[in-house]
Amino acid sequence: MIWSRAIRGLWIVASLLPAIAVLHQIVAKSPNIPLGDQWSGSVVTVLRAAEGSLRPADIFEWHTVHRPAFSRALALLLAQTSHWDLRIEASISVVISLVSLLLVFRLLPARLGSARYLLLPVIALLLFTLRASWVRSWHNAWHFARFFWLAAVAVVALRAPSWRRLLSSGLFVACATFSQGVGALLWPLGFGYLWAARYRKLANHLCWLCLGAVVLTCYYQGFRLPHYLSGRETESSVLERLEFVGAFLGGPLVAHRSDDVALAVVLGIAGLGLLAVDCWWHRRQGGELEEIAPWLAMCGFALGIATLTSLGRAGMGLVHATNDRYVIVAALFWIGLLGIAALALCGEGRAAPGSGRRVHALNVLLLAICTILFARAYLESARQAPEVSPAEKACFLAFPKTRDLSCMDRLQRQLRLSSRAGADAIPGRIDALARHRLTLFAVEPSPDSQGGR
């Protein structure tokens, strides 16, 4: 018994190592400078609060097709407590993912025995895949959405059906909706999951329909389709969209570069094929649909987002499908597949032994290939240089006094000085960050020394 506890403790410790690796990446590479969409999102919200013009409705304001309320609320909290240190904001994504890891572990059925602990480090590696998205603190919106969906799944799966659990699940899905726009997909997906989890009364589904109607009506109030989703540059064929979905799902197993795109497509399609085989085998073994429902919900979330994203982004090319932020949700597909494979292969059913050997061999082969490729992508991501160099940080800090952008040629692409927020808006916002001593400017002894007015 003592030895058994020691082994379990060892596997639990091993499952924490990926989170530690991510925290190290955040400390070493996070620039504590707003990047990309933050300049037209959280930066605006935080500066409104600092200047006393923030309204509660601003937290729910549109950002393209999203209302990232939880990300904005977190930014406001950190602005009050830590001068909006973006390294802390990025680290909170690690905390959110640790809770997600606990939820996934709780969903592993007890009949798997010690195999649950063997799976834990693998699941942790998928949840804490090393990518640049960890140091881009505003990507916490994706971590929030992933966590809330896992919470919605767990609250239904871990206890007998009840109205309280149905309403609690609806609350978590509402939170996911106001975390990231893709959360809206969870309302139709929830119908299938609830049915598989034995919520099959008409009243259950009418309640879910009413909850979804209320939340989505509030969410889409004042919605306007962004121009980049209606232009000819995003037009694509059905085949291109299918390839995009495959690359999206295969994204966690490859590096974010053009050379690996074809491999990502193949892996994504192979994963879908293995998912179908394992579901068939589980049912043939006499397994219940209810048992694999949570894992199907994870796969469905990733597949649904991949399909939805392909409608507006497939025209941007397959490399875009392996974007670092998409890996956050695409990882759920492989976690769901891993859970279903474990349940299918540990079943004690009536199927012929020959069929079982073939299913086992197929799982071992594909998972071995995925493990090798995942390790390659993981190590390559670990070696990536920081997005912002020390010289560029110094240039950013000096900008309110020097007004010199020439030393930020590479950084400008991250700041988007000539993109959505406008060429004139971002320099003024840099001045305001300096004046209020936010983000990187918190290290300065006095806001007046930055020259911001």
Side-chain angles (χ1 to χ4, degrees):
M1 179 64 70
I2 295 175
W3 177 245
S4 177
R5 288 178 179 175
I7 294 296
R8 289 180 180 181
L10 180 64
W11 283 109
I12 291 172
V13 170
S15 69
L16 297 178
L17 294 179
I20 294 172
V22 166
L23 283 172
H24 177 267
Q25 186 182 55
I26 291 171
V27 172
K29 299 180 181 180
S30 181
N32 202 15
I33 295 174
L35 299 174
D37 287 350
Q38 273 179 305
W39 286 99
S40 56
S42 298
V43 169
V44 176
T45 306
V46 168
L47 290 179
R48 284 175 182 170
E51 293 163 1
S53 61
L54 181 72
R55 303 166 302 162
D58 293 335
I59 298 174
F60 300 92
E61 190 177 38
W62 282 106
H63 183 89
T64 63
V65 297
H66 312 290
R67 291 187 190 265
F70 286 89
S71 293
R72 287 178 176 146
L74 177 59
L76 289 170
L77 175 64
L78 292 176
Q80 296 296 317
T81 58
S82 69
H83 294 281
W84 195 24
D85 191 323
L86 299 178
R87 294 164 299 184
I88 296 177
E89 187 173 77
S91 299
I92 288 175
S93 295
V94 178
V95 177
I96 296 169
S97 295
L98 281 172
V99 181
S100 297
L101 177 62
L102 179 61
L103 288 173
V104 174
F105 180 73
R106 289 280 289 115
L107 287 168
L108 290 168
R111 77 173 176 85
L112 292 178
S114 297
R116 293 189 302 161
Y117 293 92
L118 296 175
L119 291 172
L120 191 58
V122 181
I123 295 169
L125 279 169
L126 289 167
L127 283 174
F128 292 98
T129 300
L130 279 185
R131 288 294 190 274
S133 58
W134 289 102
V135 301
R136 297 168 185 161
S137 62
W138 82 94
H139 283 171
N140 58 22
W142 295 85
H143 293 282
F144 274 119
R146 184 173 71 178
F147 160 71
F148 283 126
W149 177 232
L150 288 173
V153 168
V155 77
V156 166
L158 296 177
R159 294 290 186 272
S162 71
W163 283 106
R164 184 179 66 180
R165 298 192 178 281
L166 177 65
L167 294 173
S168 297
S169 183
L171 176 61
F172 284 126
V173 172
C175 291
T177 305
F178 283 92
S179 298
Q180 184 73 5
V182 295
L185 174 71
L186 298 177
W187 292 104
L189 182 62
F191 283 107
Y193 173 61
L194 289 172
W195 185 87
R198 298 193 183 280
Y199 283 79
R200 297 177 181 175
K201 295 180 180 178
L202 178 60
N204 296 151
H205 293 281
L206 287 176
C207 177
W208 189 260
L209 178 65
C210 291
L211 288 173
V214 170
V215 173
L216 292 178
T217 298
C218 295
Y219 183 81
Y220 283 107
Q221 187 72 28
F223 173 75
R224 292 182 181 179
L225 189 69
H227 66 87
Y228 68 87
L229 290 179
S230 57
R232 293 182 59 83
E233 67 273 11
T234 60
E235 292 181 0
S236 56
S237 65
V238 173
L239 179 59
E240 287 173 327
R241 291 175 182 174
L242 291 174
E243 290 176 334
F244 188 95
V245 169
F248 187 107
L249 296 178
L253 307 178
V254 301
H256 178 45
R257 62 185 183 189
S258 57
D259 293 345
D260 283 1
V261 163
L263 183 58
V265 174
V266 172
L267 291 170
I269 294 173
L272 286 170
L274 184 60
L275 175 65
V277 169
D278 284 342
C279 288
W280 164 79
W281 182 250
H282 174 77
R283 295 293 287 164
R284 189 176 180 188
Q285 292 285 93
E288 295 291 335
L289 178 60
E290 180 184 5
E291 193 174 32
I292 61 172
W295 310 98
L296 283 172
M298 297 180 204
C299 294
F301 184 41
L303 180 59
I305 292 174
T307 304
L308 192 63
T309 305
S310 73
L311 300 178
R313 302 274 185 164
M316 297 180 180
L318 291 178
V319 177
H320 185 78
T322 62
N323 199 292
D324 292 330
R325 66 181 181 271
Y326 296 153
V327 168
I328 297 169
V329 290
L332 276 188
F333 174 80
W334 298 98
I335 293 172
L337 176 59
L338 191 65
I340 292 172
L343 291 168
L345 300 182
C346 291
E348 299 178 356
R350 305 175 298 276
S355 299
R357 285 195 295 269
R358 286 190 290 271
V359 173
H360 277 71
L362 184 61
N363 275 277
V364 170
L365 176 62
L366 182 57
L367 292 177
I369 293 172
C370 290
T371 300
I372 294 170
L373 294 174
F374 178 86
R376 168 176 164 265
Y378 193 95
L379 293 174
E380 185 170 324
S381 296
R383 292 193 295 265
Q384 286 181 347
E387 290 186 274
V388 180
S389 68
E392 288 168 329
K393 286 184 180 180
C395 177
F396 180 83
L397 275 173
F399 174 76
K401 290 173 63 175
T402 64
R403 320 307 296 173
D404 179 20
L405 292 175
S406 61
C407 57
M408 289 198 289
D409 287 342
R410 189 178 71 92
L411 186 57
Q412 285 188 50
R413 294 196 298 273
Q414 296 292 344
L415 299 180
R416 295 191 180 183
L417 289 173
S418 59
S419 186
R420 292 180 200 164
D424 298 327
I426 292 181
R429 290 170 189 170
I430 296 176
D431 291 335
L433 289 175
R435 186 165 59 250
H436 297 290
R437 295 187 60 192
L438 296 169
T439 65
L440 197 60
F441 293 106
V443 302
E444 294 300 297
S446 169
D448 294 333
S449 67
Q450 293 301 320
R453 296 287 185 267

